[in-house]
Amino acid sequence: MPQLEVDGAALTYDDKGPRDGGGVPLVFVHGWTANRHRWDHQLAHFAEKRRVVRFDLRGHGESGGAGVKTVAELANDLIALLDHLKIERCVLIGHSMGGMISQTVALTHPERVERMILVNSIARMTFSRGRGLLMAASTLVPYKLFVATNIQRAFAPGHPRDEVRAYIKSSADTPREVVMTLYGAMRAFDVLDRVGEIRTPTLMIHGYHDVQLPVSQMLRMAKAYPDATVRIIDAGHELPVEKPAELTAAIDAFVTAG
């Protein structure tokens, strides 16, 4: 797989599909503890007709590098990859933390983003005092238990247990330092007061049963966007793997709309 060296991290990426396909490239950004294979269904569907790029965030999947303290640093990695691939303008599709990265790029480099799709993502993590204390306490338990607890609750009730166990194992393979540092970066992320500046047409797709980043928080964000469309799907936080075909269809309809 091709790699790009960015500030001490070798970023592994896929760049598939015809360069002269219809529309600007689609760039997929995965979330915390995940990897670029979250987008397998979307890559298989879209790469037949247009250019598709996806990559492993630093410290995730097949990419090297240590964790960073801010989402903005991850956004800089994405811009470096776009520059390397000579992609001047694209559709950004980000899941969870990937949506935070996408919003950061839309704010700092609006000329690079033609459309944006946020999947189970928000602009500010807001919790009750009790929930905040529980989250802080969760960081004190053994690492594998911390990961297992967070990934287990990311899926809607009833999702096949063997699949959940597989994703727990994959997430736990992400280095502890990367996971815990970026956990802090997500909790500190806050652009809610700035999203009104994002004029990019945006689709927000969210799982109804998402308890990690609740629908109510996404709706609060959507109200602040000048041009946002909202779609709610019967799923949890892991939409790309819980309802891949439904997610792909929603993305396809949005990116091909006139």
Side-chain angles (χ1 to χ4, degrees):
M1 292 296 174
Q3 289 188 321
L4 172 67
E5 191 77 23
V6 182
D7 294 333
L11 303 181
T12 300
Y13 65 90
D14 296 314
D15 184 4
K16 305 292 186 180
R19 298 298 186 271
D20 57 351
V24 301
L26 306 182
V27 178
F28 290 87
V29 190
H30 70 76
W32 180 63
T33 78
N35 58 59
R36 70 188 192 280
H37 292 290
R38 277 293 197 274
W39 305 111
D40 281 352
H41 191 280
Q42 291 73 38
L43 178 70
H45 175 82
F46 288 107
E48 293 182 357
K49 51 191 174 183
R50 65 194 297 169
R51 188 178 185 185
V52 177
V53 173
R54 64 178 183 175
F55 71 109
D56 288 332
L57 297 171
R58 59 173 57 230
H60 291 70
E62 296 179 277
S63 288
V68 291
K69 294 183 178 180
T70 66
V71 170
E73 291 171 271
L74 298 177
N76 289 339
D77 288 347
L78 174 53
I79 290 297
L81 180 61
L82 295 179
D83 288 345
H84 172 70
L85 297 176
K86 296 181 170 55
I87 296 175
E88 295 297 326
R89 197 165 172 81
C90 66
V91 175
L92 274 183
I93 304 103
H95 173 242
S96 192
M97 186 175 73
M100 299 177 184
I101 296 167
S102 299
Q103 290 178 88
T104 302
V105 171
L107 283 166
T108 58
H109 297 80
E111 74 285 354
R112 308 294 290 267
V113 188
E114 181 175 281
R115 291 189 175 212
M116 182 166 63
I117 300 171
L118 305 177
V119 183
N120 290 98
S121 193
I122 56 176
R124 173 193 294 165
M125 295 181 74
T126 305
F127 304 103
S128 66
R129 184 172 183 273
R131 171 71 174 140
L133 290 173
L134 181 63
M135 291 180 68
S138 71
T139 64
L140 303 177
V141 303
Y143 174 62
K144 289 189 176 180
L145 177 58
F146 170 79
V147 172
T149 300
N150 276 279
I151 302 305
Q152 175 71 51
R153 66 198 301 273
F155 289 84
H159 196 79
R161 291 184 179 181
D162 58 337
E163 289 190 18
V164 175
R165 284 194 292 267
Y167 283 108
I168 288 173
K169 182 181 184 304
S170 175
S171 294
D173 287 341
T174 308
R176 183 184 189 282
E177 181 272 337
V178 172
V179 170
M180 302 310 295
T181 303
L182 288 177
Y183 182 70
M186 285 192 297
R187 293 192 65 187
F189 178 75
D190 184 358
V191 296
L192 186 60
D193 294 336
R194 295 192 59 201
V195 295
E197 302 170 26
I198 299 177
R199 305 293 170 179
T200 305
T202 301
L203 172 64
M204 299 176 187
I205 312 175
H206 221 85
Y208 178 80
H209 303 285
D210 189 345
V211 296
Q212 301 281 58
L213 304 179
V215 171
S216 59
Q217 293 187 30
M218 180 276 292
L219 293 174
R220 181 184 181 192
M221 172 180 71
K223 288 174 63 177
Y225 264 75
D227 187 358
T229 302
V230 171
R231 172 82 181 273
I232 307 296
I233 292 178
D234 184 14
H237 183 69
E238 291 292 347
L239 255 175
V241 295
E242 291 181 72
K243 295 290 180 69
E246 196 168 343
L247 175 60
T248 296
I251 293 171
D252 202 351
F254 185 71
V255 299
T256 58

